[in-house]
Amino acid sequence: MNIVVLIKPTPDVTKVRFDVERGVVDRSSAELEINQFDLYAVEVALLIKEVLGGSVTAVSMAPPQGERALRDAVARGVDKAILLTDGRFAGADTLATSYTLAAAVRKLGGYDLILCGEKSVDGDTAHVGPEVAEHLNVPHAAFVTRVVEVSSNKVVVESDYGDAYYLLELQLPALISLSRPVVFRDRVVEPRTPRLGDVLKARRARVEVWDAYYLADVADLEGFGLAGSATRVVRVFNVFEKDRNSITVSGEEGVDRILEVLRSRRLV
Amino acid sequence: MWSGVLVYAENYGRGLKSSVFELLGKASELRTRLGGLVYSITLASEEVDVHAEELIYYGSDKVLVYRVPKELLPNQLVHRDALVDSVKALKPKLVLISATPWGRSLGPRVAAHLKTGITADCLDIYVDENGDVVQVRPAFTGNVIAHIKTLRTPVIATVRPKVFPMPEPDHGRKGDVLCMKLNIPGNDVAGVRVLGVAREKLVKLSEAEVIISVGKGLRSREDLRLFEELAKALGGQVACSRPLVDVGWMERDRQVGFSGNVVRPRIYIACGISGAPQHLAGMRDSEYVIAVNTDSSAPIGRYSDLLVVGDFYEVIPKLVERIKELKSKL
Ligand SMILES: Cc1cc2nc3c(=O)[nH]c(=O)nc-3n(C[C@H](O)[C@H](O)[C@H](O)COP(=O)(O)OP(=O)(O)OC[C@H]3O[C@@H](n4cnc5c(N)ncnc54)[C@H](O)[C@@H]3O)c2cc1C
């Protein structure tokens, strides 16, 4: 089983500063780490490999400092790490990002299963996984809460449709995007903590770096980065809080106040 | 010439989603600036006429109905093919899809197929002074709001349910209904076979009007009874922050936040929840927020209309008692 895990190196959103003037993240304000949701994709990939054998390849499209996240993936046990980095990839929206990731997967060739997290903590779209699947013309399941069974030619998953969870059988190759918490067979998946020895080893591990030209035989360079993006961010604001006329009370008065609110809304 | 607005009317075998009507209301409003018609497209195996009629009452001028066998209705690739087909036939300027998990899985496939842009989970859509469609969405776990334009056609957006008001249906409204055909290869369309419903959702928090949410301050699973009692008295639902799901005391369906459910109730009561950005991302648009917290400086206070400083183990039982008293007097 050849598994590809798509990892987005993301900043810690609680620490990152946002340059509202320029509409971009102040990259110096936080180091890049594996997107929280992608940690589950890495873990599930490793669990599947334990059962079926094969290899796990991590692919990220990121600026050079994204390498740190890939080394973390290596420390956790992925066999190979590829960083897609090039000025031509910059400014990509979900269309261009998914096009680039799909090109890299095509370049790798011989894949059976692609795993990714449900969404990223910064972009927050949940769109990249399904778009990658469309570019590769393979089936996908999104918001997967359980990987029920996986064999050499198919995977059975439980996917959140909104009103209910549906059971889907996908022929491989296929892509699945994982929610959290996620169950693998009967076990709730908890991302492992890499061992110190593995962290140290991962520091010296090779992270392959691919640029735009390296993908020229499998993709159209015009499809990458800002040039390949169909959307533009025209303005960005910090979220201003809704004007809540916050009242602070304590003790017994609190109960009275809550009752007042409930009564004014005819709930009691 | 691309014009008009196409609303994708989500139905995978459980009836039309009510958020579809919100989209139709918005589409009717945007159409006055964008020109063209309000279209809708839906897939159905039965009650085709009923669905089409409803879509017209809520604002569609033209409805495209793709009739598919019941067992294929929950297959997303069938919906992709139908939506792509309808976009090619109608050439709408804008396509609106509800940002349900289903919509956020289907929409991007359609956008990638058409090689156009898609904006996720929009909180608003407007037409600017140049006549361009502008999409407003949160990013960075809800910490920033971005305004986005799409340079290609159609513009595709998934829209968060309950952000646009529900329009009044006009039962006298007339429109066209077109029955469409789709070439469907077989039972496992393009490698996907839907085996059935695995589990029903315990609760649809996004539709709740009153939510009592509990956080890490909870000492034992049994103590949840306290909140269930309050929820019952108010006709609401019990919800929680992530730590309670992580320890297995609550189901994911009841988690509010970035990795859980986005809610917009009339009243949100946060008990023992500190107000981490990931939690706020799921509830900050609630109509009225009450927080009960022992810590008067907890961040949730800044996002609340009423902060009660106190131990919820004291406040909530007293509240339940007072509500019971009130009810017994009636
Ligand atoms: C990628 C990612 C996604 C996440 N998604 C979510 C999400 O969807 N939803 C979510 O909720 N979190 C999410 N989190 C976790 C989030 O960061 C916080 O850790 C979490 O919300 C904290 O939950 P809490 O407020 O219940 O607990 P705490 O932060 O520990 O706060 C407990 C609060 O309870 C108060 N308290 C304690 N006892 C009492 C008492 N007896 N009476 C009154 N007050 C009391 C304390 O003063 C404190 O303010 C996510 C994190 C990450 C990294």
Side-chain angles (χ1 to χ4, degrees):
Chain A
M1 173 85 27
N2 289 323
I3 305 170
V4 179
V5 187
L6 306 176
I7 292 175
K8 183 171 187 185
T10 51
D12 178 341
V13 292
T14 56
K15 293 197 196 114
V16 74
R17 281 189 306 271
F18 209 82
D19 185 340
V20 176
E21 298 282 291
R22 290 167 54 226
V24 293
V25 175
D26 176 359
R27 291 278 177 199
S28 62
S29 64
E31 280 190 305
L32 299 179
E33 51 193 42
I34 299 178
N35 171 42
Q36 288 278 335
F37 290 91
D38 300 343
L39 285 175
Y40 295 83
V42 171
E43 188 62 35
V44 169
L46 296 171
L47 293 174
I48 294 174
K49 184 188 156 179
E50 277 170 25
V51 179
L52 294 175
S55 75
V56 179
T57 305
V59 177
S60 293
M61 182 184 86
Q65 39 313 3
E67 194 193 277
R68 185 169 173 269
L70 282 172
R71 288 201 187 280
D72 183 14
V74 172
R76 286 163 196 270
V78 313
D79 301 291
K80 186 173 167 181
I82 296 166
L83 179 65
L84 310 172
T85 195
D86 192 319
R88 288 184 207 78
F89 296 147
D93 68 358
T94 62
L95 182 68
T97 301
S98 57
Y99 182 75
T100 310
L101 292 170
V105 173
R106 223 180 273 126
K107 182 88 183 180
L108 273 170
Y111 62 92
D112 300 298
L113 186 61
I114 305 167
L115 297 176
C116 62
E118 157 190 313
K119 60 184 169 193
S120 65
V121 296
D122 53 353
D124 188 4
T125 70
H127 285 171
V128 170
E131 286 188 88
V132 168
E134 184 65 29
H135 291 305
L136 294 171
N137 198 21
V138 300
H140 87 281
F143 303 100
V144 166
T145 47
R146 184 163 176 198
V147 177
V148 181
E149 203 40 84
V150 49
S151 66
S152 60
N153 60 358
K154 63 182 191 218
V155 58
V156 177
V157 298
E158 183 184 285
S159 164
D160 182 356
Y161 272 18
D163 285 338
Y165 299 91
Y166 277 71
L167 208 55
L168 310 178
E169 181 186 275
L170 310 180
Q171 295 298 321
L172 302 185
L175 179 147
I176 58 180
S177 75
L178 301 167
S179 283
R180 77 166 300 288
V182 59
V183 175
F184 177 67
R185 292 177 160 179
D186 291 315
R187 182 163 133 200
V188 178
V189 174
E190 206 34 69
R192 65 192 69 187
T193 316
R195 279 178 305 207
L196 184 61
D198 294 332
V199 173
L200 295 176
K201 230 189 285 165
R203 280 197 196 150
R204 294 187 305 273
R206 198 164 93 92
V207 171
E208 280 187 38
V209 176
W210 293 4
D211 64 7
Y213 280 117
Y214 190 73
L215 299 174
D217 58 331
V218 289
D220 178 356
L221 297 187
E222 290 299 302
F224 297 149
L226 195 62
S229 294
T231 57
R232 291 287 184 276
V233 175
V234 288
R235 274 197 291 177
V236 179
F237 303 99
N238 280 313
V239 170
F240 294 109
E241 288 329 311
K242 211 162 122 182
D243 220 0
R244 300 201 185 269
N245 19 353
S246 208
I247 314 166
T248 304
V249 292
S250 54
E252 195 68 37
E253 198 197 340
V255 178
D256 291 337
R257 283 292 188 134
I258 298 175
L259 270 174
E260 240 167 68
V261 173
L262 296 176
R263 219 183 274 138
S264 71
R265 275 148 212 264
R266 301 182 187 288
L267 288 165
V268 289
Chain B
M1 191 38 203
W2 298 73
S3 72
V5 185
L6 172 63
V7 170
Y8 165 75
E10 176 179 322
N11 169 32
Y12 45 83
R14 301 174 151 251
L16 288 177
K17 281 239 73 123
S18 62
S19 53
V20 166
F21 306 128
E22 301 161 9
L23 298 183
L24 283 170
K26 190 67 184 180
S28 304
E29 176 198 318
L30 291 172
R31 184 258 307 270
T32 57
R33 294 290 314 278
L34 294 175
L37 299 175
V38 172
Y39 307 105
S40 45
I41 166 217
T42 194
L43 284 75
S45 62
E46 50 206 41
E47 296 196 311
V48 170
D49 300 337
V50 183
H51 287 181
E53 246 172 31
E54 265 194 296
L55 292 169
I56 292 168
Y57 296 162
Y58 280 93
S60 310
D61 299 307
K62 194 182 258 188
V63 181
L64 271 56
V65 184
Y66 292 79
R67 198 175 192 132
V68 299
K70 195 164 187 241
E71 64 280 9
L72 285 182
L73 214 43
N75 189 320
Q76 220 156 62
L77 291 176
V78 179
H79 291 249
R80 174 201 62 186
D81 291 347
L83 189 46
V84 166
D85 186 66
S86 65
V87 166
K88 286 181 176 163
L90 300 167
K91 299 212 173 349
K93 173 83 185 124
L94 172 66
V95 179
L96 299 179
I97 300 170
S98 288
T100 56
W102 170 274
R104 284 177 88 172
S105 176
L106 170 69
R109 271 209 95 122
V110 171
H113 191 96
L114 296 168
K115 309 227 167 342
T116 189
I118 177 162
T119 304
D121 204 22
C122 294
L123 300 175
D124 195 12
I125 295 180
Y126 66 94
V127 179
D128 72 1
E129 60 282 3
N130 306 317
D132 294 338
V133 175
V134 183
Q135 304 152 93
V136 180
R137 73 171 299 257
F140 277 86
T141 313
N143 287 320
V144 304
I145 294 287
H147 287 225
I148 293 168
K149 282 190 187 181
T150 301
L151 311 175
R152 304 182 192 174
T153 40
V155 176
I156 304 183
T158 59
V159 177
R160 191 178 283 189
K162 282 172 88 176
V163 300
F164 298 141
M166 179 67 73
E168 280 300 318
D170 170 0
H171 294 277
R173 216 166 169 282
K174 298 270 179 282
D176 295 332
V177 181
L178 272 73
C179 286
M180 307 294 284
K181 280 239 158 57
L182 207 59
N183 279 331
I184 299 171
N187 245 355
D188 47 348
V189 176
V192 181
R193 188 196 303 250
V194 179
L195 304 177
V197 173
R199 270 183 309 139
E200 290 295 333
K201 287 241 157 141
L202 292 174
V203 53
K204 275 164 219 143
L205 274 191
S206 60
E207 289 164 20
E209 298 274 318
V210 177
I211 291 178
I212 328 292
S213 204
V214 199
K216 214 178 167 181
L218 194 74
R219 285 184 221 122
S220 82
R221 189 179 195 155
E222 286 64 46
D223 297 346
L224 279 171
R225 232 179 298 141
L226 213 63
F227 298 91
E228 282 156 7
E229 216 176 325
L230 179 59
K232 206 167 145 211
L234 299 177
Q237 291 289 350
V238 179
C240 64
S241 63
R242 191 173 95 172
L244 297 199
V245 175
D246 288 349
V247 295
W249 291 358
M250 296 278 263
E251 292 276 341
R252 173 180 180 271
D253 295 351
R254 293 197 186 269
Q255 180 185 324
V256 170
F258 187 64
S259 51
N261 298 274
V262 177
V263 300
R264 287 186 156 241
R266 287 170 60 209
I267 296 203
Y268 189 85
I269 309 180
C271 305
I273 290 176
S274 63
Q278 294 89 353
H279 189 80
L280 298 171
M283 49 64 71
R284 62 164 20 115
D285 293 324
S286 303
E287 212 176 290
Y288 196 95
V289 177
I290 301 173
V292 181
N293 204 303
T294 40
D295 177 5
S296 64
S297 67
I300 189 81
R302 274 180 272 129
Y303 301 85
S304 305
D305 301 277
L306 174 62
L307 169 63
V308 175
V309 180
D311 186 335
F312 66 67
Y313 276 98
E314 287 167 24
V315 176
I316 300 302
K318 271 189 201 146
L319 183 61
V320 171
E321 201 179 299
R322 294 276 298 275
I323 293 173
K324 276 188 187 155
E325 266 170 39
L326 276 174
K327 287 199 168 164
S328 67
K329 277 189 205 146
L330 290 178

